[in-house]
Amino acid sequence: MTSIAKPKIVHEGLKRNALGLTVRDYEGSMSTLCAGCGHDSITAAIVQAFFELDIPAHGVAKMSGIGCSSKTTAYFVAGAHGFNAVHGRMPSIATGANAANRNLRYIGVSGDGDSLSIGVGQLAHVIRRNLDMVYILENNGVYGLTKGQFSASADIGTKSAWMARWLNSLA
């Protein structure tokens, strides 16, 4: 729940990096994503990477689009800069931000709906431009915020329970 603050507990025995920070210093707010979703595992890996690379939060810009993946940026490097773009347009925002300030490290988090449907053109062009950023595409095969519609990355021939009922009604 977003109304519950994440407790700030630092165990004295936690390892510190070259900046004197613990892995807990790289975490963000408490996750509100569905239990079992892989997005939290991705977030944990991002937290660990920033900790091990000794990257200060003020040197990071987090970019995201729309969907479940866009919530991910709230769960790591709480003190970083951030921008949540409109659906499918995160690469353009990241390109402009990178042109304005090349001293930041850019990380973009996007989902299959955001990058492989409405934003596929943006994804292709950010790859073509070879933008200096980490682009993480979280693919769960569904539009989770719209309660399970399949995304562009769903397996060919996959049918939802709704579609199966609709097809049966036609028979």
Side-chain angles (χ1 to χ4, degrees):
M1 289 191 250
T2 56
S3 61
I4 300 172
K6 187 173 187 175
K8 182 70 174 166
I9 301 170
V10 179
H11 188 273
E12 293 300 320
L14 282 179
K15 179 181 170 188
R16 295 190 178 272
N17 64 12
L19 301 174
L21 301 172
T22 68
V23 73
R24 294 294 310 265
D25 294 318
Y26 287 91
E27 294 176 352
S29 61
M30 198 158 40
S31 176
T32 60
L33 295 169
C34 299
C37 179
H39 295 345
D40 286 330
S41 296
I42 294 167
T43 300
I46 294 169
V47 166
Q48 189 65 35
F50 276 103
F51 170 73
E52 290 178 11
L53 293 170
D54 305 319
I55 299 173
H58 68 273
V60 176
K62 306 180 292 185
M63 306 288 169
S64 64
I66 301 296
C68 296
S69 63
S70 67
K71 297 170 73 173
T72 303
T73 56
Y75 309 138
F76 64 87
V77 193
H81 306 280
F83 192 92
N84 185 251
V86 297
H87 204 37
R89 303 306 183 259
M90 180 271 292
S92 292
I93 300 298
T95 299
N98 193 298
N101 187 346
R102 296 195 189 279
N103 296 322
L104 295 175
R105 296 181 191 230
Y106 292 88
I107 181 167
V109 180
S110 185
D112 44 350
D114 200 36
S115 283
L116 301 178
S117 291
I118 194 168
V120 73
Q122 296 272 323
L123 174 63
H125 287 293
V126 80
I127 292 168
R128 181 184 58 79
R129 287 189 300 266
N130 196 24
L131 188 63
D132 187 15
M133 74 178 291
V134 173
Y135 194 114
I136 296 175
L137 202 160
E138 298 181 349
N139 178 13
N140 58 3
V142 299
Y143 302 138
L145 294 180
T146 56
K147 306 301 176 224
Q149 290 173 295
F150 291 119
S151 75
S153 62
D155 293 334
I156 294 174
T158 303
K159 292 180 180 68
S160 68
W162 175 87
M163 183 176 279
R165 284 192 303 274
W166 180 73
L167 289 172
N168 285 337
S169 72
L170 298 176

